[in-house]
Amino acid sequence: MKNSKHSLLLLLTSILLLGLSCKDKPVEKANEVDAPSKHPNIVVIYLDDLGYGDISSYGGTGLQTPNIDALATEGIKFTNGYASSATCTPSRYALLTGMYPWRNKDAKILPGTAPLLISTEQQTLPKMLKKQGYQTAIVGKWHLGLGSGIINWNQRVSPGPNEVGFEESYILAATQDRVPTVYIENGNVVGLDPKDPISVDYEHNFEGEPTAITNPEMVKMKWHHGHNNSIVNGIPRIGFMKGGDSAKWSDIDIADTFLEKAQTYVKEHKDKPFFLYYAMNQPHVPRTPNPRFVGKSGMGPRGDVILEADWCIGEFMKTLEEEGILDNTLVIFSSDNGPVLNDGYYDDAVEKLGNHDPNGGLRGGKYSLFEAGTRIPLITYWKGKIQPAESNAIVCQMDLLASLADLVGTKDNTTDSQDLMDVFLGKSKTGRDNLIIEATSRTALRSGDWLMIPPYKGVNYEEEVGIEVGSFPEFHLYNLKDDVTQQNNLATSNPKKLAEMIHEFETLKGKDYNLNVEAVKFE
């Protein structure tokens, strides 16, 4: 009995001492993210139609881009970095979902009235980071559809970015050359007057509304192809729009507006980890540089807006430094696809090009299965954490989802994204073994040093945009290590390698790769 009482006394004493020792310790919440404050901020800076050779650090001869160059010289400059696609919507889809866009039949260049392309149920980069304690935001171009297909722009537009993982959004619905020409903040049109409601239609004009066809005297920027519908700020657009005058953006102020929003976001959320997708508009058409940059490049508006974008990036990086978070921020810089000069407007992009080569020696361009369509500038920068280097590892923007999941302490194996975090941080030079690239619903295979383009119907050289798009009646095979300019088709002289590539491609993609391929639409 004495032993029992003694044991009970010892137990009570132990419990009391344990309680005292824990008195000042905070109670841990269930499922709390481990040390979220140690997670780096993550910023993706995404340009639009910027070519491999459009910046000086990638060999651009006609332009000096010192702020982007600083990221390249102090970070990792990838020479085999790829967008998934040679057009904007599919590339953005792959970036945010980690999925090949060809798996989604609707992942193509979308009109401004298209429904949301990303399912609210599927995995996304912002969703993954949000679960790991990140605040998430997009500032800039969206172009992934909004709503369910029938949109009332005078009410909150949903679903959209906020329903696929972004807690804050300030966007263009589609592109600068498409209606509606308004900003949308968290689903609501900014500055809308209820007495002047917005109407949008991509098939039919509204009675009495001027267009570039009916009222050419109102046009300040002459259209070349596909841009002859509603006129806003003297610029003809794709699609028809009526009303919403107080909400319409000022084209020359778009870059400044997005920069200010991105800077404000950083200042308001610097105390906790954040993910910012800063989707800039430059150098997509219409090219409307702020007057501060007009004439600065000597190459017309296209060169001017690239200089404008470089300045914006410099100002944004200054903000990270001034707010004391530069050394805890991973910055990823890239472009959604390759370059195009004439993409719908006469703006001297061709005439004033001079010795500048937006392709950086690569063949093709936007819309193309040749290298200039999808091989783009890709840079990772993290002050004090990434050592300056140049990498020829094959990496794709689609791989950011799985890679960043690894960085923040989780895993993603539900998508096509590959974990290449060590490559992005410069700890490894082993990238992808293969990658299926896409251009206007046609696909090709990059595997090791080789690129194989299957046969497709249609013409190779598209006059309207002045680009070889890679459509031939026969297979094309290139050794990119020996022939990066893709001048020597080895499909006939190396049948063994061609057979290997076809087998690998069909294993990854299937055998129906040249069925139901749509005609290229340049607008």
Side-chain angles (χ1 to χ4, degrees):
M1 190 72 175
K2 287 183 179 180
N3 288 338
S4 297
K5 289 181 177 180
H6 182 66
S7 298
L8 180 60
L9 181 60
L10 285 175
L11 178 60
L12 291 171
T13 302
S14 298
I15 292 173
L16 178 62
L17 290 173
L18 180 63
L20 289 172
S21 67
C22 296
K23 184 178 180 180
D24 296 324
K25 294 183 178 180
V27 178
E28 295 185 6
K29 297 179 182 178
N31 301 319
E32 187 173 38
V33 178
D34 291 334
S37 61
K38 294 182 180 180
H39 287 339
N41 305 306
I42 300 168
V43 177
V44 173
I45 301 176
Y46 210 50
L47 268 71
D48 197 338
D49 296 352
L50 185 81
Y52 189 87
D54 266 329
I55 51 180
S56 40
S57 51
Y58 274 78
T61 54
L63 294 169
Q64 292 299 314
T65 51
N67 296 298
I68 299 172
D69 293 349
L71 300 178
T73 56
E74 298 171 26
I76 300 177
K77 170 189 165 185
F78 288 92
T79 59
N80 277 295
Y82 285 84
S84 72
S85 308
T87 53
C88 47
T89 295
S91 290
R92 291 161 197 274
Y93 178 84
L95 170 72
L96 293 180
T97 67
M99 297 296 294
Y100 275 121
W102 47 263
R103 296 193 190 280
N104 185 335
K105 63 180 178 59
D106 295 322
K108 52 193 175 184
I109 302 174
L110 297 178
T113 52
L116 180 64
L117 182 62
I118 301 173
S119 167
T120 56
E121 304 300 319
Q122 74 184 103
Q123 174 70 296
T124 66
L125 179 54
K127 275 186 183 178
M128 180 276 294
L129 291 171
K130 188 177 176 181
K131 288 179 181 177
Q132 298 305 308
Y134 277 74
Q135 213 286 341
T136 58
I138 171 176
V139 171
K141 174 178 172 177
W142 178 239
H143 207 189
L144 287 164
L146 293 168
S148 57
I150 301 175
I151 302 177
N152 183 347
W153 299 98
N154 307 291
Q155 299 177 355
R156 186 175 186 277
V157 179
S158 176
N162 299 78
E163 286 69 43
V164 295
F166 290 107
E167 293 176 273
E168 297 184 22
S169 65
Y170 194 96
I171 62 169
L172 304 184
T175 58
Q176 191 181 341
D177 58 345
R178 285 172 171 79
V179 297
T181 52
V182 296
Y183 298 117
I184 301 173
E185 184 171 21
N186 297 321
N188 297 300
V189 173
V190 177
L192 179 64
D193 181 356
K195 297 178 181 179
D196 183 26
I198 296 174
S199 298
V200 175
D201 195 311
Y202 270 71
E203 299 296 330
H204 306 287
N205 191 19
F206 301 97
E207 185 176 355
E209 290 297 308
T211 70
I213 300 295
T214 62
N215 295 83
E217 74 282 358
M218 296 177 62
V219 171
K220 297 178 182 178
M221 183 181 291
K222 186 178 178 182
W223 62 280
H224 180 272
H225 61 271
H227 297 73
N228 54 23
N229 300 150
S230 289
I231 304 168
V232 180
N233 301 332
I235 301 172
R237 317 282 170 153
I238 300 172
F240 304 99
M241 176 179 173
K242 178 182 179 181
D245 286 345
S246 64
K248 291 176 181 175
W249 64 53
S250 165
D251 289 86
I252 62 173
D253 295 315
I254 288 177
D256 284 350
T257 298
F258 285 153
L259 171 61
E260 188 274 330
K261 292 296 179 182
Q263 290 172 314
T264 299
Y265 177 80
V266 165
K267 294 172 183 178
E268 292 179 349
H269 297 282
K270 64 181 179 180
D271 295 331
K272 293 183 179 180
F274 63 78
F275 167 60
L276 174 61
Y277 174 36
Y278 182 14
M280 304 176 74
N281 192 67
Q282 301 97 320
H284 194 281
V285 295
R287 295 147 186 157
T288 55
N290 186 279
R292 304 193 309 275
F293 297 94
V294 172
K296 295 294 184 181
S297 69
M299 291 170 52
R302 186 176 187 275
D304 294 345
V305 297
I306 292 175
L307 298 187
E308 180 180 52
D310 182 73
W311 177 83
C312 288
I313 290 168
E315 293 301 299
F316 178 78
M317 296 302 294
K318 284 180 186 177
T319 299
L320 294 178
E321 186 169 21
E322 290 168 356
E323 297 301 319
I325 58 174
L326 183 61
D327 59 356
N328 192 41
T329 302
L330 169 62
V331 178
I332 302 158
F333 170 89
S334 198
S335 173
D336 63 349
N337 50 251
V340 59
L341 297 178
N342 184 346
D343 207 22
Y345 298 96
Y346 289 99
D347 65 357
D348 291 332
V350 176
E351 292 79 2
K352 293 186 176 181
L353 189 63
N355 66 349
H356 181 68
D357 178 13
N359 288 7
L362 304 177
R363 187 175 177 182
K366 183 178 180 178
Y367 310 110
S368 179
L369 285 172
F370 285 116
E371 282 293 275
T374 52
R375 192 191 291 206
I376 36 72
L378 199 159
I379 301 165
T380 55
Y381 169 91
W382 189 355
K383 184 179 179 181
K385 302 294 192 301
I386 288 179
Q387 299 304 311
E390 183 173 301
S391 175
N392 63 1
I394 299 174
V395 295
C396 180
Q397 299 161 2
M398 182 172 62
D399 298 321
L400 290 178
L401 197 155
S403 302
L404 293 174
D406 179 26
L407 178 68
V408 301
T410 186
K411 294 292 180 184
D412 174 79
N413 56 10
T414 65
T415 68
D416 295 312
S417 183
Q418 293 186 14
D419 180 1
L420 300 178
M421 200 64 241
D422 282 349
V423 181
F424 288 126
L425 293 178
K427 299 177 181 179
S428 171
K429 294 185 177 180
T430 304
R432 276 181 164 264
D433 294 327
N434 53 53
L435 175 69
I436 296 176
I437 60 173
E438 184 267 343
T440 61
S441 73
R442 298 162 300 134
T443 49
L445 175 67
R446 170 79 197 261
S447 180
D449 294 329
W450 296 83
L451 181 85
M452 184 274 291
I453 302 176
Y456 292 106
K457 294 180 180 180
V459 298
N460 174 47
Y461 186 78
E462 293 290 351
E463 294 283 348
E464 283 186 330
V465 292
I467 291 174
E468 288 187 280
V469 297
S471 289
F472 299 98
E474 71 281 343
F475 282 96
H476 275 231
L477 178 68
Y478 300 95
N479 185 323
L480 298 177
K481 183 177 181 180
D482 300 331
D483 179 28
V484 71
T485 60
Q486 296 177 279
Q487 298 303 304
N488 303 307
N489 179 16
L490 304 178
T492 301
S493 61
N494 197 338
K496 181 179 179 181
K497 187 62 182 181
L498 177 62
E500 290 177 6
M501 294 287 285
I502 292 173
H503 175 73
E504 184 176 6
F505 182 61
E506 291 182 348
T507 299
L508 294 169
K509 178 70 170 64
K511 296 184 178 183
D512 61 347
Y513 50 84
N514 58 3
L515 300 177
N516 302 319
V517 173
E518 296 183 355
V520 182
K521 296 180 180 179
F522 305 107
E523 53 176 36

